[in-house]
Amino acid sequence: MPQHREQRYIPYHPDKVFDLVGDVARYPEFLPWCTHAVVHRRSDVAVSDDLPGELVLADIFVRFKMFREKFTSEITLDPHANEILIRYIDGPFRYLRNSWSFAPEGEGGTRVEFFIDFEFSNRALRILIAGLFDEAVRKLVRAFEQRAHDLYGGRVHTEGPVKKDASPSQTDPSSPAEAHAKPDGRLGDTHTPSKPTTPTQPSQAAKGFEGPGALDVGDVPASRPAESAPAEPTAPPAPLARETPARGRSSGLTTPWGRPFKPGR
């Protein structure tokens, strides 16, 4: 059934990495899928060469997709052999074998070896985990590695080196950022200055208000129409002269009998 063995180098002392893995109660703070952990008992026991170690009885609660499971394990912490052994007691597995070892390497670093071998009792879980097992276990190991960096040092980058921002102010001393340097050496705004705006020519009506005390064109709202000078009153038109037809001429009127009416008759 699924087995996985992996080694990682972690740049911290074996004692620190050992304590991190042995602190089961804090697994929910950083392990994926682990919702909470309950430590029932911690007791001193004799381990390798009858040297003192510690025995931890704990429940681990796991949630993965629609599955929620709890498994109980007995964890033996052997600081003299730099080993942690997990013995499965109860839960969703047919069996579970799990171990950690921590070997000194380099100047204060640790070579960590992780091993796990298990099989689920539930057939649906066996089918579900079959295609995800390797990646899921690697994700667990990376979580422990990241936890070590969070507690003891800088953050680990698992997706390649971080690219530096090649902004103009860092690569080219003649960039616009240098042109905007302040007298005290600090850089000011690095955006390209916009072109000056051409001032708007004043209207013909505004030109008439010049001289001392004149109103500035900018003070007059653009939407307010210019006031014009009042018009001078004009004389009323002369009455039209009434034209009187000359004597003997027809006035254009007719008599009741249809004959033209001539004044003076």
Side-chain angles (χ1 to χ4, degrees), residues 20 26 29-30 142-151:
L20 185 157
R26 301 186 70 178
E29 297 179 15
F30 65 94
R142 286 197 299 266
F144 279 102
E145 184 180 11
Q146 183 61 59
R147 179 69 169 179
H149 284 275
D150 291 341
L151 292 178

Side-chain angles (χ1 to χ4, degrees), residues 103-254:
E105 183 172 313
E107 298 182 359
T110 302
R111 175 63 57 181
V112 179
E113 182 173 314
F114 172 79
F115 171 77
I116 188 169
D117 177 17
F118 70 92
E119 182 179 355
F120 282 111
S121 300
N122 187 308
R123 183 173 179 272
L125 277 173
R126 289 200 302 269
I127 296 173
L128 177 65
I129 201 67
L132 305 173
F133 175 73
D134 287 339
E135 180 57 32
V137 174
R138 289 191 179 95
K139 188 171 183 178
L140 288 172
V141 175
R142 286 197 299 266
F144 279 102
E145 184 180 11
Q146 183 61 59
R147 179 69 169 179
H149 284 275
D150 291 341
L151 292 178
Y152 308 131
R155 183 175 180 85
V156 61
H157 299 284
T158 59
E159 300 179 359
V162 178
K163 296 181 180 180
K164 293 184 178 180
D165 183 15
S167 60
S169 60
Q170 294 175 331
T171 57
D172 186 8
S174 62
S175 65
E178 287 293 328
H180 291 273
K182 296 181 180 180
D184 58 359
R186 296 180 293 118
L187 292 180
D189 296 335
T190 58
H191 65 276
T192 304
S194 59
K195 295 182 180 181
T197 305
T198 304
T200 306
Q201 295 295 331
S203 62
Q204 191 67 25
K207 288 184 178 180
F209 297 96
E210 297 180 355
L215 182 65
D216 186 20
V217 175
D219 296 335
V220 179
S223 60
R224 183 179 177 181
E227 297 180 358
S228 58
E232 295 182 1
T234 56
L240 296 177
R242 185 175 181 179
E243 183 178 358
T244 305
R247 185 179 181 85
R249 292 183 181 181
S250 173
S251 63
L253 302 177
T254 59

Side-chain angles (χ1 to χ4, degrees), residues 49-62:
D49 299 329
D50 292 331
L51 295 173
E54 189 174 13
L55 192 65
V56 179
L57 182 65
D59 288 339
I60 305 294
F61 295 81
V62 177

